[in-house]
């Protein structure tokens, strides 16, 4: 910072202009890099009581130097006030030499701090020690704070600070993202980042809204499609969630987790046939999949079977029961689900539908025994007798 002030000052010293004894003395202090001495002389003259040092107070250069000295002491409000005074004094001046110098100083200083913050932040990401890393993140945040203190017109500064505040889990990130978008409304990265911010803070409606907006700029971004799908699902907008999952699935047709995610949504919207199809796909891809796939699949089949039985379409009902049984058997053949009481319970229902009463009773007993075992295990865990 001292180097920036010194170089800009030397450039201005060569330009001449209106003068004053205090300004001349301050320039000599600046030339000798004695910033405190310059600060004392200029502040004494510029901030003296009304009526004194009228000549000095009317010189734009004096206010420019005072502003830069305020910046050195991180007195940013006073810096901006001094630079405002420069502009007021040069309002009728076409050249506006010192006003431009003030603007250049603000831009250069803001950019210098911003670039430093980016570098420190990126360096911090490479640090494995958590305490050392957090210290670096805080240092980076301080530098971007300084950048914004100099220049409040750069959207990128606010986006960076929002990101760093998020990492440090301090307040203000949402406001920074919004401020950045006020300055640059169509910035796709900031819109996306705000969408993810909302999702991480469980503001799912707002997350979906922002991710929708961001997807207009990048319709094939899998991450945004994924989290928009989750957001819709979390607020119970199942039809929109299904449509979003399908968009994601087009980009990743081999991603089996998408089919599994669609199963509960189809079931919730009473599209039982599609729930069966997506659960069947999930089970065929991996019989060790989450047991909820078996639950949704079996419940969907039994909804259809019950309807067929009401219509006295016994053969069709048995055909569906046989298909359901084959999938349930896949489950109990795995290490993951062989002792899953819920799957055995559904098997007892299927056997009963198929008229296999002995197998139905056997499956029912197995389901009850497993349920008792699970209940006993849960009780021991609650008492602290088992460590899992």
């Amino acid at each position: 910072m001292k180097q920036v002030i010194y170089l800009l000052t030397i450039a201005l010293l060569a330009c001449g202009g209106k003068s004053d004894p205090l300004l001349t003395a301050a320039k000599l202090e600046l030339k000798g890099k004695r910033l405190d001495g310059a600060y004392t002389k200029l502040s004494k003259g510029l901030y003296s009581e009304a009526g004194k040092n009228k000549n000095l107070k009317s010189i734009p250069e004096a206010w420019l130097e005072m502003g830069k000295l305020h910046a050195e002491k991180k007195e940013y409000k006073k810096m901006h006030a001094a630079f405002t005074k420069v502009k007021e004094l040069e309002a009728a001046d076409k050249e506006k030499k010192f006003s431009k110098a003030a603007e250049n100083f603000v831009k250069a200083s803001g950019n210098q701090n911003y670039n430093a913050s980016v570098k420190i932040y990126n360096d911090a990401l490479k640090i494995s020690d958590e305490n050392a890393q957090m210290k670096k993140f805080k240092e980076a945040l301080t530098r971007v704070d300084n950048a914004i203190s100099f220049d409040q017109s750069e959207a990128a500064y606010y986006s960076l600070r929002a990101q760093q505040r998020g990492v440090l889990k301090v307040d203000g990130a949402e406001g920074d993202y919004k401020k950045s978008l006020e300055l640059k409304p169509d910035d796709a990265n900031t819109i996306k980042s705000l969408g993810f911010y909302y999702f991480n803070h469980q503001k799912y409606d707002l997350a979906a809204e922002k991710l929708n907006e961001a997807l207009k700029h990048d319709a094939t971004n899998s991450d945004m499609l994924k989290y928009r799908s989750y957001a819709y699902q979390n607020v119970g907008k199942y039809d929109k969630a299904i449509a979003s999952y399908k968009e994601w699935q087009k980009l990743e047709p081999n991603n089996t987790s998408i089919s599994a995610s669609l199963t509960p949504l189809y079931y919730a919207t009473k599209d039982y046939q599609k729930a069966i199809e997506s659960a069947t796909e999930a089970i065929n891809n991996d019989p060790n999949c989450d047991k909820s796939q078996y639950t949704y699949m079996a419940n969907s089949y039994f909804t259809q079977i019950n309807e067929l039985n009401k219509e006295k379409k016994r053969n069709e009902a048995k055909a569906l029961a046989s298909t359901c049984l084959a999938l349930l058997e896949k489950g109990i053949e795995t290490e993951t689900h062989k002792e899953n009481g819920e799957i055995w319970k559904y098997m007892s229902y299927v056997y009963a539908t198929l008229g296999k009463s002995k197998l139905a009773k056997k499956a029912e007993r197995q389901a009850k025994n497993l349920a008792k075992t699970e209940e006993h295990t849960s009780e021991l865990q609650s008492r602290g007798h088992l460590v899992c």
Side-chain angles (χ1 to χ4, degrees):
M1 178 62 70
K2 289 184 179 180
Q3 186 178 12
V4 172
I5 292 175
Y6 176 67
L7 290 174
L8 287 170
T9 299
I10 294 301
L12 287 168
L13 282 171
C15 297
K18 291 175 67 176
S19 189
D20 180 273
L22 276 175
L23 177 58
T24 300
K27 282 182 176 183
L28 290 173
E29 296 285 353
L30 289 168
K31 192 171 182 179
K33 300 183 182 180
R34 296 182 295 274
L35 301 185
D36 286 340
Y39 184 94
T40 300
K41 287 179 171 58
L42 281 179
S43 59
K44 180 181 178 181
L46 292 173
Y47 299 126
S48 60
E49 60 186 73
K52 286 189 177 181
N53 297 303
K54 283 184 178 180
N55 182 52
L56 182 67
K57 292 177 183 179
S58 70
I59 300 175
E61 185 184 6
W63 289 104
L64 171 66
E65 297 302 338
M66 189 73 256
K68 289 188 288 183
L69 289 164
H70 281 311
E72 176 63 26
K73 292 181 176 292
K74 293 182 169 49
E75 298 169 346
Y76 297 115
K77 287 184 179 179
K78 290 181 178 180
M79 175 198 76
H80 285 295
F83 289 162
T84 297
K85 191 69 177 175
V86 174
K87 292 177 183 178
E88 289 173 357
L89 291 170
E90 287 194 320
D93 186 339
K94 290 183 180 180
E95 188 179 357
K96 296 186 178 1
K97 178 174 69 177
F98 297 108
S99 297
K100 289 175 182 176
E103 289 175 12
N104 290 338
F105 176 81
V106 164
K107 289 291 181 186
S109 301
N111 194 50
Q112 183 185 55
N113 278 278
Y114 171 78
N115 289 335
S117 180
V118 170
K119 184 181 184 306
I120 294 166
Y121 180 80
N122 288 336
D123 289 344
L125 294 173
K126 301 171 187 174
I127 298 173
S128 57
D129 181 77
E130 187 176 353
N131 290 331
Q133 185 182 57
M134 294 307 286
K135 185 177 179 181
K136 273 289 184 184
F137 281 142
K138 288 176 182 177
E139 184 184 345
L141 181 60
T142 297
R143 294 305 295 265
V144 77
D145 276 339
N146 290 344
I148 291 171
S149 294
F150 277 107
D151 187 358
Q152 292 90 46
S153 68
E154 292 292 338
Y157 296 0
Y158 290 97
S159 291
L160 180 64
R161 188 168 71 175
Q163 181 184 0
Q164 293 179 0
R165 281 176 163 173
V167 169
L168 288 166
K169 297 180 180 179
V170 297
D171 293 338
E174 181 181 0
D176 279 339
Y177 280 130
K178 287 181 175 179
K179 180 64 179 177
S180 181
L181 289 171
E182 281 179 24
L183 295 167
K184 196 175 181 182
D186 294 326
D187 189 273
N189 283 330
T190 303
I191 297 168
K192 177 179 71 174
S193 296
L194 181 55
F196 285 139
Y197 171 86
Y198 282 138
F199 186 92
N200 291 332
H201 287 77
Q202 300 179 3
K203 297 179 180 181
Y204 298 120
D205 272 322
L206 291 171
E209 178 186 324
K210 284 298 168 189
L211 291 173
N212 259 332
E213 193 178 336
L215 282 162
K216 292 176 184 176
H217 298 272
D218 184 6
T220 59
N221 187 301
S222 292
D223 274 346
M224 288 197 285
L225 287 168
K226 175 170 66 176
Y227 283 99
R228 183 185 67 176
S229 303
Y230 295 164
Y232 279 137
Q233 185 171 355
N234 286 338
V235 293
K237 294 181 178 178
Y238 298 136
D239 289 333
K240 288 186 175 182
I242 289 169
S244 186
Y245 273 116
K246 284 183 175 179
E247 282 187 57
W248 177 22
Q249 196 170 42
K250 286 178 184 177
L251 295 176
E252 299 183 20
N254 297 322
N255 187 335
T256 57
S257 70
I258 300 175
S259 292
S261 297
L262 281 165
T263 303
L265 297 173
Y266 286 135
Y267 188 83
T269 54
K270 299 184 179 180
D271 193 339
Y272 300 117
Q273 184 55 40
K274 285 186 178 176
I276 288 169
E277 291 170 6
S278 61
T280 299
E281 184 179 346
I283 291 166
N284 285 334
N285 283 325
D286 180 13
N288 289 291
C289 64
D290 190 86
K291 69 177 182 179
S292 65
Q293 296 297 317
Y294 291 96
T295 300
Y296 287 120
M297 179 272 296
N299 281 331
S300 296
Y301 266 121
F302 275 103
T303 300
Q304 293 184 342
I305 289 168
N306 289 337
E307 287 299 316
L308 290 170
N309 281 331
K310 285 179 186 178
E311 297 169 10
K312 298 184 179 179
K313 296 179 179 179
R314 309 295 184 196
N315 290 336
E316 291 180 41
K318 286 183 177 181
L320 287 183
S322 295
T323 307
C324 180
L325 177 62
L327 289 167
L328 292 172
E329 286 175 338
K330 278 193 174 186
I332 61 167
E333 288 170 2
T334 66
E335 286 296 317
T336 305
H337 299 304
K338 67 180 182 181
E339 295 183 353
N340 188 314
E342 196 169 353
I343 291 179
W344 281 102
K345 179 182 71 176
Y346 287 121
M347 288 185 69
S348 72
Y349 296 160
V350 171
Y351 283 135
T353 302
L354 293 170
K356 299 179 180 181
S357 56
K358 286 185 179 180
L359 289 174
K361 287 179 181 178
K362 183 180 177 180
E364 184 180 4
R365 283 196 300 271
Q366 178 72 345
K368 286 180 178 178
N369 289 336
L370 289 169
K372 286 179 182 178
T373 301
E374 287 175 8
E375 184 180 346
H376 181 61
T377 301
S378 179
E379 184 180 349
L380 288 175
Q381 286 176 346
S382 68
R383 292 178 180 179
H385 294 159
L386 285 180
V387 178
C388 296

